[in-house]
Amino acid sequence: MKPTGNGRLDGRVAVVTGAADGIGAGIARAYAAEGARVLVADVSEDQGCALAGEINGLFLRVDVTDRVQVEAMIATAVDELGSVDVLVNNAWGAGDVGRVENKTDTMLERGFAMGYYGPFWAMRAAFPHMKAAGWGRIINMCSLNGVNAHMGTLEYNSAKEALRTLTRTAAREWAPTGVVVNAICPGAKSAAFHRMAAAHPEIAATAEAANPMGRLGDPLADIAPIAVFLASEDCRYLTGNTLYADGGSHINGVAWAPDLP
């Protein structure tokens, strides 16, 4: 894939987790179109390799719940692509829909390993390289589920809100270094949304109908442009923020009362 954008990320190296499909794939494609070299990190080898081939990127199989693999991901970006300038923590694949009283310790541990510790390990490994360069962009994908305390997804909500706290804390501490850290809360048809929709189509239909714009966003057309901005030079004075790319769902919140099992 040849760059087709305006070269806003020319010369940059981006690591995108959960990049094989959904929002992560949309961001990876947009970054490549803007001139970045992209490390496509995912547990899905077939889809990840296909995307990396499409965008002339580098695929690496990474389970973000494994600290050793996450640290190796950052090292691979530096060794194979020359640096790590942009880090997008997007991966998710844990959790199920159910009431709080039916959640287990294992569910919560899995959710926090993927939604909080994985991003934390990646940020901690990437920061020394970004600090040495005097430039870095970290984008953490969070969720309105946590902001609005949506029913049925406790482990997801909790991990994503913890990640927003990590985002703001790192943004404050790293502000003097040239590294900015921001979060996106997307209202989009992510890979996680498609999995949920397959299992609970009635809940997915309710989510679409509740959006003020009447639809959930497209990962490439609606979410990726926000991620490009946050990865670009234009974001140099913006840090510690949450951007809601959600069709307006955050304005008054969304009535969300599914008939949970």
Side-chain angles (χ1 to χ4, degrees):
M1 179 178 183
K2 295 181 179 179
T4 56
N6 296 314
R8 297 170 73 188
L9 301 182
D10 274 350
R12 301 299 185 189
V13 172
V15 174
V16 183
T17 71
D21 61 2
I23 291 173
I27 292 172
R29 288 187 174 102
Y31 282 3
E34 291 290 344
R37 289 170 294 171
V38 182
L39 189 152
V40 175
D42 207 292
V43 294
S44 176
E45 296 190 35
D46 290 344
Q47 286 180 285
C49 285
L51 180 66
E54 173 191 326
I55 65 174
N56 196 28
L58 174 66
F59 171 72
L60 184 67
R61 188 187 187 285
V62 180
D63 178 352
V64 300
T65 68
D66 185 318
R67 179 177 57 80
V68 173
Q69 292 188 37
V70 171
E71 292 172 349
M73 171 184 73
I74 300 300
T76 298
V78 174
D79 293 343
E80 300 294 329
L81 300 177
S83 65
V84 55
D85 304 303
V86 181
L87 168 65
V88 180
N89 287 306
N90 169 71
W92 178 261
D96 199 356
V97 176
R99 293 186 176 278
V100 170
E101 62 270 30
N102 296 326
K103 297 291 184 180
T104 66
D105 291 357
T106 299
M107 291 175 180
L108 270 291
E109 289 167 0
R110 173 73 174 166
F112 271 84
M114 180 161 290
Y116 179 80
Y117 278 103
F120 167 63
W121 294 326
M123 290 168 64
R124 188 174 62 183
F127 176 65
H129 302 285
M130 294 179 174
K131 181 181 179 182
W135 200 98
R137 301 288 184 265
I138 297 172
I139 298 121
N140 290 325
M141 303 306 294
C142 295
S143 178
L144 276 180
N145 281 44
V147 175
N148 291 338
H150 285 181
M151 294 172 60
T153 49
L154 173 64
E155 60 271 49
Y156 184 68
N157 302 2
S158 301
K160 292 297 187 180
E161 281 299 88
L163 181 57
R164 284 211 310 141
T165 298
L166 170 60
T167 300
R168 296 195 303 276
T169 305
R172 176 62 188 89
E173 293 187 10
W174 297 348
T177 69
V179 178
V180 301
V181 190
N182 292 288
I184 298 174
C185 285
K189 292 180 177 178
S190 64
F193 176 85
H194 284 297
R195 286 192 292 270
M196 183 274 290
H200 306 281
E202 72 289 355
I203 296 178
T206 300
E208 292 243 42
N211 187 287
M213 290 190 180
R215 65 179 178 87
L216 290 179
D218 178 78
L220 179 59
D222 295 317
I223 308 303
I226 309 300
V228 168
F229 161 67
L230 291 178
S232 73
E233 188 62 23
D234 295 336
C235 188
R236 59 183 290 174
Y237 200 56
L238 182 79
T239 194
N241 284 272
T242 298
L243 300 187
Y244 297 95
D246 62 358
S249 292
H250 71 283
I251 297 171
N252 295 320
V254 172
W256 183 255
D259 184 17
L260 295 176

